[in-house]
Amino acid sequence: MNQSERRQILLRSLLKEQPRYNKIEIPHSSSEQKKLLRSLMNIRMASPVSEEFQRIQDEYLQEENRSRGFVELSSLTPMQKEIYLWRGDITRLVCGAIVNAANSGMTGCYQPCHNCIDNCIHTYAGIQLRNYCNDLMEKQGHEEPTGTAKITPAFNLPCDYVIHTVGPIVKGTLTQDHLRQLASCYRSCLELADQNRICSIAFCCISTGVFMFPNKEAAEIAVQTVKDYKAETGSKIEVIFNVFKELDEQIYRNLLR
């Protein structure tokens, strides 16, 4: 079975699940099919799927992920001892864990094809990730507090785990609480990684973007918290600061020189 055949099986199944969309015709072009598939996966609420659906989805996503190209930690050059900087798509990294900037609901972004990291991670991990996160949150019984973290399998991503953390939302003036909460995000992720014997972790730019934390101040907290944690604990975990924008890359380069 090729990718086109897998994609169409997945599309038919997802469209059948949702009566309000079952009159949508599957587009002819592969790019439009991919867009529709991602949209349907993004809006799908957490619920079980058949073993056949999961098998075909996993085969499809693993091939899609391979075709986008993996980035090995060994191919990166450290900026400082055990600290790296890499600009690109975090879902391509082969490492112990990648960090997801989640919202307090912790089950992903439901906006079709939204370009946030939460959406991208759930898209390329597969629907199992939302189901797993939903189970965690149902057992917890309340939203995830800001500054804490949860760990999940990575499913179809090339990393081993995903660590989800909820960063502070800055509305107006940046406060000491915002600074403390963001530092707590980084420390919580590092502690969770060490507890699970994870040897490498890739941090996204937590709380920047739609959460409106200023980029420079966020990067300063990220770098200082990682250095303080490693100095205090003696942790040997390798840390990748993953950025997507040229602005953030330059900020981190200046901090890590």
Side-chain angles (χ1 to χ4, degrees), residues 19-167:
R20 57 180 171 161
Y21 298 131
N22 61 16
K23 291 184 180 179
I24 292 178
E25 292 187 6
I26 296 174
H28 293 295
S29 76
S30 61
S31 61
E32 288 300 311
Q33 287 178 8
K34 289 180 180 182
K35 185 177 179 181
L36 177 58
L37 178 58
R38 178 171 178 173
S39 298
L40 292 169
M41 291 174 70
N42 291 160
I43 65 173
R44 185 182 190 274
M45 302 300 289
S47 62
V49 291
S50 68
E51 289 184 8
E52 181 186 19
F53 180 95
Q54 184 170 313
R55 176 182 60 80
I56 294 171
Q57 178 218 234
D58 290 352
E59 291 172 354
Y60 177 79
L61 286 177
Q62 287 164 24
E63 180 57 34
E64 286 294 295
N65 288 337
R66 275 193 296 270
S67 70
R68 294 186 306 121
F70 297 150
V71 177
E72 302 273 355
L73 176 59
S74 59
S75 71
L76 305 182
T77 302
M79 295 284 291
Q80 295 184 12
K81 184 182 179 183
E82 300 167 347
I83 296 179
Y84 302 78
L85 174 63
W86 182 69
R87 180 181 171 195
D89 183 346
I90 200 170
T91 64
R92 296 173 55 209
L93 279 171
V94 181
C95 59
I98 63 173
V99 172
N100 178 25
N103 57 52
S104 59
M106 295 288 276
T107 57
C109 168
Y110 290 80
Q111 185 175 332
C113 296
H114 192 234
N115 202 34
C116 69
I117 190 170
D118 199 12
N119 189 298
C120 293
I121 286 174
H122 277 266
T123 293
Y124 292 111
I127 58 172
Q128 299 100 307
L129 182 55
R130 175 165 288 168
N131 288 345
Y132 193 100
C133 290
N134 187 67
D135 289 345
L136 285 178
M137 298 310 290
E138 284 189 349
K139 290 174 184 175
Q140 179 165 286
H142 59 82
E143 291 189 338
E144 187 72 7
T146 302
T148 59
K150 290 273 193 298
I151 189 168
T152 69
F155 298 104
N156 292 292
L157 294 169
C159 56
D160 297 321
Y161 297 94
V162 179
I163 297 178
H164 310 256
T165 189
V166 181

Side-chain angles (χ1 to χ4, degrees), residues 2-19:
N2 62 34
Q3 285 295 83
S4 176
E5 291 167 334
R6 292 185 185 109
R7 188 166 53 243
Q8 292 192 49
I9 289 171
L10 296 174
L11 282 167
R12 285 195 293 270
S13 178
L14 290 170
L15 287 169
K16 188 177 179 180
E17 266 189 352
Q18 309 225 23

